[in-house]
Amino acid sequence: MKLLADITGEKFLEVIETSGDSVIVQFVSNEGRRKGKPFKDSISGLFLTGWTKRTTSTAIGLELFKQGKTEDPRVSFALHQLYPLGRKVKLPTGYIATIASYANTHNDGYYIYLRDEYGLKRFKMTPDWELLPSEELLALPYYPAPKTQKEIDNINDFDKWAAGF
């Protein structure tokens, strides 16, 4: 997978086909999922607008993982980024558990410990695991309590004393 990243490093284009300066590219998410339709552009035009070549990302690592490559630092990086501690995953069997360890590399794949109500279990990771949304509550903005009549009177007294300044 050949990728281009924008200036912020948050948007990715997958290079599907190249022919001289002409390229066919498609937007992809951080997880490597294609978005939209492929389009034709020039590589020089993309470079002029701030796109740069990307040699590592979670998208590349996940693509290599799907290909069965186990001893690649890009795969390890992607799995650590995409499957963080404390998040829940759903396995293809329907089993849901919480991630309790980082992915450990072995010559036959990546293994990870998952925690459920019965304890820890060790599983071999596969690309079809589904990361579930976080259960952490989002912090709501702080809204102060409404002003009391005493506070309003104090503010009005000050405004009268300051004569509008």
Side-chain angles (χ1 to χ4, degrees):
M1 174 182 271
K2 294 180 183 177
L3 285 182
L4 298 175
D6 72 341
I7 294 172
T8 64
E10 296 175 359
K11 294 181 183 171
F12 299 100
L13 286 173
E14 179 184 4
V15 178
I16 298 171
E17 186 180 313
T18 60
S19 176
D21 189 46
S22 179
V23 291
I24 296 176
V25 292
Q26 183 173 8
F27 282 99
V28 294
S29 70
N30 197 28
E31 293 87 21
R33 288 189 213 116
R34 293 186 170 102
K35 300 190 287 189
K37 294 183 178 181
F39 60 94
K40 192 173 186 177
D41 208 331
S42 69
I43 195 76
S44 57
L46 289 170
F47 287 157
L48 280 174
T49 57
W51 291 88
T52 57
K53 289 184 179 178
R54 179 57 64 100
T55 57
T56 185
S57 74
T58 52
I60 292 172
L62 197 57
E63 184 71 22
L64 293 171
F65 181 57
K66 288 177 182 176
Q67 294 172 11
K69 300 195 175 160
T70 58
E71 296 187 17
D72 191 309
R74 294 173 292 187
V75 174
S76 183
F77 171 78
L79 294 178
H80 280 73
Q81 292 293 314
L82 294 172
Y83 297 97
L85 293 175
R87 288 288 292 274
K88 288 194 174 189
V89 290
K90 182 177 181 181
L91 306 187
T93 61
Y95 177 72
I96 296 175
T98 305
I99 298 172
S101 74
Y102 287 113
N104 296 315
T105 310
H106 293 274
N107 57 358
D108 65 335
Y110 287 85
Y111 287 85
I112 195 167
Y113 282 96
L114 299 179
R115 179 186 311 118
D116 62 8
E117 61 271 8
Y118 303 110
L120 293 175
K121 293 180 184 173
R122 185 174 180 249
F123 289 90
K124 182 178 179 182
M125 293 186 78
T126 60
D128 50 3
W129 283 22
E130 180 185 348
L131 188 65
L132 299 177
S134 177
E135 291 181 347
E136 289 181 23
L137 297 176
L138 297 175
L140 297 175
Y142 171 75
Y143 292 104
K147 292 181 179 73
T148 63
Q149 189 59 46
K150 185 178 177 183
E151 289 172 321
I152 293 171
D153 292 343
N154 191 21
I155 291 168
N156 289 338
D157 287 344
F158 180 79
D159 284 344
K160 286 178 191 171
W161 172 82
F165 287 101

